[in-house]
Amino acid sequence: MRLMSKGLFFFLAFGVAGYAFFVYGVLPLGSLVHPDMKANFLAHSTGIYTHAFASSIALILGLFQFFPRLRQKYTAIHRWLGRTYLAVGVLVGGLSGLYLSQYAFGGPFARLGFAVLAGLWLYTGFRAFLAIRRGRVDEHRQWMVRNYSLTFAAVTLRLYLPASMAAGFEFAIVYPIIAWLCWVPNVVFAEWRYNTAPKT
Ligand code: HEM
């Protein structure tokens, strides 16, 4: 069961990051986003490219940090992956996400949802960094679990969006809701899981 859920996490995170690398590395900007968002993307292309690439790095690197063997046996690799995850993924991805949140499609409710997500992403990353600098391993781990649950919003958002389109909901109505739904349950789940799962 644990192996299956880890496999699913890997599949989803690699799928979304791979999709972002392909779409933003190869195709013209705005090719595959909803037509209502395209003009916005073209007007903020530097922010979009920076955000898509940096955040995708976070999505991939973060996965490896949850392997107990990597943490215990290859500590130097864990540290370097962690530094890159925080400095490139969370810091650059979070600041560009915060910048983009003010232009996001869906009005003030969607913009606030993305802005709070970006703020929490940066804050939890900072707390995780601070904890490990002070040698507080358990605290570091807990902040990292919270932080990656927010990183994973990239995946949940891209599951909810097509599902809501398939269910026949209107994009303009559902997008602002998904701007919150993509991360609030993730944090609740991560908190519950952290407090109930055995520590490895
Ligand atoms: C966790 C904090 C994050 C915040 C606050 C955030 C915020 C945003 C915002 C505001 C937009 C523009 C949406 C619009 O104009 O309506 C966006 C787009 C995008 N974000 Fe994020 N994001 C985050 C995490 C991630 C992660 C981890 C990835 C990794 C793949 C990612 C990949 C993308 C991509 C590829 C787009 C372009 C839209 C698309 O092609 O679907 N984001 N993000």
Side-chain angles (χ1 to χ4, degrees):
M1 184 63 196
R2 281 193 69 160
L3 203 66
M4 261 177 69
S5 55
K6 271 199 176 164
L8 185 65
F9 264 79
F10 251 77
F11 174 75
L12 291 171
F14 265 96
V16 168
Y19 164 88
F21 279 125
F22 173 71
V23 171
Y24 291 90
V26 178
L27 301 181
L29 186 59
S31 306
L32 293 186
V33 288
H34 193 276
D36 293 345
M37 290 163 77
K38 187 170 174 172
N40 221 359
F41 276 35
L42 293 175
H44 306 286
S45 55
T46 309
I48 284 285
Y49 279 120
T50 308
H51 174 71
F53 289 123
S55 307
S56 298
I57 289 173
L59 197 56
I60 291 184
L61 294 190
L63 278 176
F64 292 95
Q65 303 299 74
F66 292 99
F67 279 101
R69 217 172 120 75
L70 186 88
R71 286 200 308 269
Q72 288 148 12
K73 231 182 139 197
Y74 304 100
T75 319
I77 297 180
H78 174 77
R79 283 194 186 132
W80 275 106
L81 289 182
R83 284 173 193 144
T84 315
Y85 171 86
L86 284 178
V88 178
V90 178
L91 188 60
V92 178
L95 288 175
S96 51
L98 189 59
Y99 163 77
L100 289 173
S101 67
Q102 57 185 315
Y103 307 109
F105 180 77
F109 192 64
R111 290 175 190 151
L112 186 64
F114 286 127
V116 176
L117 168 62
L120 288 177
W121 204 29
L122 291 164
Y123 177 73
T124 52
F126 177 67
R127 291 298 301 264
F129 174 73
L130 216 60
I132 204 61
R133 295 296 293 180
R134 293 173 177 165
R136 298 179 189 159
V137 176
D138 281 346
E139 208 177 301
H140 167 72
R141 184 199 297 236
Q142 185 159 19
W143 282 109
M144 271 307 190
V145 168
R146 289 173 179 145
N147 183 263
Y148 195 73
S149 75
L150 295 167
T151 307
F152 214 71
V155 172
T156 38
L157 181 133
R158 284 160 190 87
L159 292 176
Y160 299 147
L161 263 187
S164 58
M165 294 298 100
F169 292 116
E170 203 183 311
F171 184 72
I173 307 251
V174 94
Y175 195 68
I177 299 171
I178 291 180
W180 292 87
L181 195 66
C182 69
W183 64 269
V184 175
N186 294 14
V187 180
V188 174
F189 176 80
E191 210 62 30
W192 167 77
R193 191 86 184 103
Y194 182 83
N195 289 312
T196 53
K199 308 279 176 289
T200 47

